[in-house]
Structure formats: C-alpha cells, structure tokens
C-alpha cells in the first residue's frame, strides 16, 4: 500500500511543477528556467503483462537546452529492486518520448538518501554499458526553513522542506514557520498545502504537532484536516459529558463517538447528552 508521505513527496511536484527549478540549487545542478511544462501520464506499462509506473512525470521546455522529462520518485526506504526499475524508467522514457529524462528521488531520511545517491551501473565489471545518476533531494540537502517570511516566499518549497525533514530535530521549527506563513494566504492556496503537509508527515510524531498548529493557527480555514481536528475535539467533549453524567459507555459506543467526524451529528449528540436519561435518548436516530 502506498503511504501518505510517499504520495506527498512526489505529488508536490505535480501541483507545483516549477518547484523543481528551485530545488535545483540544493542539489548542486543548474537547470535552466523553464518556459512551459506539462504533467504527463505516469503509466510506463508495455504490452507485456508487467505494469510499471513512475510516481510523477513532468515535461519541461526551456529556451537554452530544449526539453527534458522529470521523473520524480518518492522513496521511503532502501529497496534494491528499485535500482533496476529506475534504470528501466529512464531507458523507456528516452526511447518513447525521444526527450532526455532526469530522475529525482525524494527521501525522508539520510540513510535512504545516501543509498539512492549511488550511481546505478549496468554491465559487466569490465565495462559499464549503462549508468543512471539519480538526483536525490532529502534532509541532507534541502533547506531548513524556520523563518515564516522565508517560508512565505516559496510555500511549495517550505512544504517539501517540512516533509523531507519530518524525522529531523528541526521539523518543529519548520512546521511552525510554515503554519505562520499559511495564515496570510488565501484559503484556496493554504488548503491544499495544509493537506499535503499532513499527508507527508503521515503517522510520524511531527504529524501531531502539525495537527495542533492547524487547530490554532489555521482554525479559521474549513479544510478537511481542520474540520477533522474540530470534530475530534467535539467527540472528546461528548465523552467527557457522558462520563460526568454517570453513563457507563460500552466500548462500541465509545468507538462510535471517537470515530465520528460529522460536527453536526456530534453537536446534536452533545445537546441531548446534557439532559438525556439514557444513552438511547442521546444516540437515537431521527
């Protein structure tokens, strides 16, 4: 199953293709500024019954160096099988589109980044017939953005920095800067970036901090994550009221309340809980 961090680490490039040109300096590569770009199909399947999909595939057109393809792969751990897949991707893309491809691997930890950075050499010991040199972005080379003003200058880069530094000690300061920067942008801009950050943090400890920041700093937004946070608070309040009134809650009822994310329903239950004589009165269906 594809994890949330995996999706966020490459999807940010789909939503903000121009981000690649800003990541370039951190990678030590000077790619020319693009004049246009296209988000391309990610399916690399051939007629044979073997399905191969790159995570994100973009095409960039430049004035100086023509066009190139960018294949973005999110990598959460070392996976030796990926090395052959990456070589296949680049060979296939070059053959199919006749446009030079570049592989960018995005990682969330330094060990995986070091592993992914090694050249992939194909051929006998005496001769390398084909070599792949991945570009790798991760906590070892992406900026640590802890200044809200700097985060506001490039919100997409700030999100990528937060996701790739999710396991690093600096992540708390990065998330605080990002949440502060998102306060000052329109909801339609902040919403998807807020969700992408939450997705990228997955179930890591930093995800709890992000949820708390969203509950406070971005409480005025109606994004799914902020609604979920408010619903969690309403569910906890309902359980406290029921317990204070002396009701013995069956495990199934407690689970039903804890998992409910509909604020209207929770508020209705909470209103009934103040005066109800039984749990049936609280949870009866209208």
């Amino acid at each position: 199953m594809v994890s949330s961090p995996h999706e966020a680490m490459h999807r940010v490039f789909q939503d903000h293709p121009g981000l690649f040109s800003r990541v370039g300096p951190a990678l030590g590569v000077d790619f020319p500024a693009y004049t246009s770009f296209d988000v391309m199909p990610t399916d690399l399947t051939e007629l044979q019954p073997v399905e191969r999909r790159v995570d994100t595939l973009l095409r960039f057109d430049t004035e100086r160096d023509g066009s190139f393809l960018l294949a973005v792969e999110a990598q959460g751990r070392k996976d030796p099988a990926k090395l052959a897949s990456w070589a296949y991707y680049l060979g296939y893309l070059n053959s199919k589109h006749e446009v030079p491809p570049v592989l960018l691997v995005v990682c969330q930890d330094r060990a995986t980044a070091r592993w992914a950075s090694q050249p992939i050499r194909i051929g006998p010991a005496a001769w390398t017939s084909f070599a792949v040199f991945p570009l790798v972005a991760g906590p070892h080379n992406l900026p640590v953005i802890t200044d809200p003003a700097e985060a506001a200058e490039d919100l997409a880069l700030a999100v990528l920095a937060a996701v790739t530094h999710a396991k690093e000690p600096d992540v708390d300061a990065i998330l605080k800067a990002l949440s502060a920067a998102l306060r000052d942008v329109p909801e339609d801009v902040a919403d998807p970036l807020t969700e992408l950050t939450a997705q990228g943090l997955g179930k890591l400890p930093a995800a709890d901090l992000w949820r708390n920041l969203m509950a406070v700093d971005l409480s005025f937004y109606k994004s799914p994550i902020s609604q979920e946070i408010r619903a969690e608070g309403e569910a906890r309040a309902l359980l406290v009221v029921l317990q204070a009134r002396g009701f013995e809650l069956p495990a199934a009822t407690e689970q039903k309340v804890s998992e409910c994310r509909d604020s209207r329903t929770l508020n209705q239950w909470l209103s009934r809980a103040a005066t109800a004589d039984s749990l049936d009165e609280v949870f009866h269906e209208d």
Side-chain angles (χ1 to χ4, degrees):
M1 181 180 293
V2 175
S3 66
S4 294
H6 177 279
E7 287 296 292
M9 283 192 288
H10 71 85
R11 277 296 302 273
V12 67
F13 288 91
Q14 288 187 23
D15 296 343
H16 302 271
L19 175 61
F20 179 59
S21 64
R22 281 113 62 193
V23 171
L27 307 177
V29 182
D30 180 23
F31 281 95
Y34 64 87
T35 55
S36 63
F37 62 81
D38 292 302
V39 178
M40 301 182 66
T42 60
D43 189 350
L44 307 184
T45 307
E46 293 193 88
L47 294 179
Q48 293 86 348
V50 178
E51 183 176 326
R52 301 179 187 269
R53 290 182 184 272
V54 66
D55 287 335
T56 285
L57 182 61
L58 305 168
R59 174 179 174 136
F60 292 91
D61 301 315
T62 74
E63 291 184 354
R64 189 185 76 190
D65 295 333
S67 303
F68 68 93
L69 300 177
L70 175 66
V72 185
E73 285 279 284
Q75 194 65 29
R77 58 181 175 80
K78 299 179 183 178
D79 181 1
K82 272 292 187 179
L83 303 180
S85 295
W86 291 341
Y88 172 87
Y89 293 167
L90 295 188
Y92 177 87
L93 290 170
N94 188 69
S95 175
K96 178 179 180 179
H97 298 286
E98 298 184 343
V99 175
V102 175
L103 172 64
L104 173 64
V105 183
V106 185
C107 303
Q108 257 183 329
D109 66 87
R110 295 171 184 268
T112 303
R114 284 193 298 271
W115 166 80
S117 297
Q118 301 302 309
I120 304 167
R121 301 184 185 277
I122 298 174
W127 187 260
T128 298
S129 301
F130 179 45
V132 175
F133 299 90
L135 288 172
V136 179
H140 63 296
N141 58 6
L142 288 183
V144 175
I145 302 175
T146 58
D147 179 1
E150 184 181 355
E153 290 177 1
D154 195 333
L155 290 169
L157 182 59
V159 169
L160 184 63
V163 171
T164 54
H165 287 87
K167 301 177 182 178
E168 298 286 306
D170 295 318
V171 68
D172 287 9
I174 295 173
L175 292 175
K176 289 175 182 177
L178 177 57
S179 66
L182 288 172
R183 280 191 230 134
D184 300 323
V185 300
E187 182 176 349
D188 61 339
V189 175
D191 244 15
L193 293 171
T194 298
E195 301 299 327
L196 195 57
T197 303
Q199 187 179 32
L201 297 175
K203 297 182 179 179
L204 293 171
D208 292 332
L209 172 61
W210 184 244
R211 293 174 70 82
N212 291 335
L213 289 170
M214 295 304 94
V216 177
D217 287 358
L218 300 182
S219 59
F220 48 87
Y221 284 144
K222 303 300 181 184
S223 64
I225 188 173
S226 60
Q227 291 177 338
E228 182 179 343
I229 291 168
R230 284 192 286 276
E232 287 177 356
E234 291 162 352
R236 286 194 296 270
L238 174 58
L239 292 174
V240 169
V241 170
L242 291 172
Q243 290 165 358
R245 296 207 59 221
F247 290 114
E248 293 186 9
L249 298 178
T253 300
E254 186 170 349
Q255 182 178 3
K256 176 181 179 180
V257 172
S258 298
E259 294 180 353
C260 182
R261 292 296 176 265
D262 184 78
S263 288
R264 184 173 178 273
T265 299
L266 287 166
N267 284 321
Q268 187 177 56
W269 289 344
L270 186 58
S271 176
R272 294 172 182 169
T275 57
D277 294 323
S278 68
L279 290 178
D280 286 341
E281 287 185 36
V282 177
F283 297 107
H284 73 79
E285 298 290 339
D286 290 333

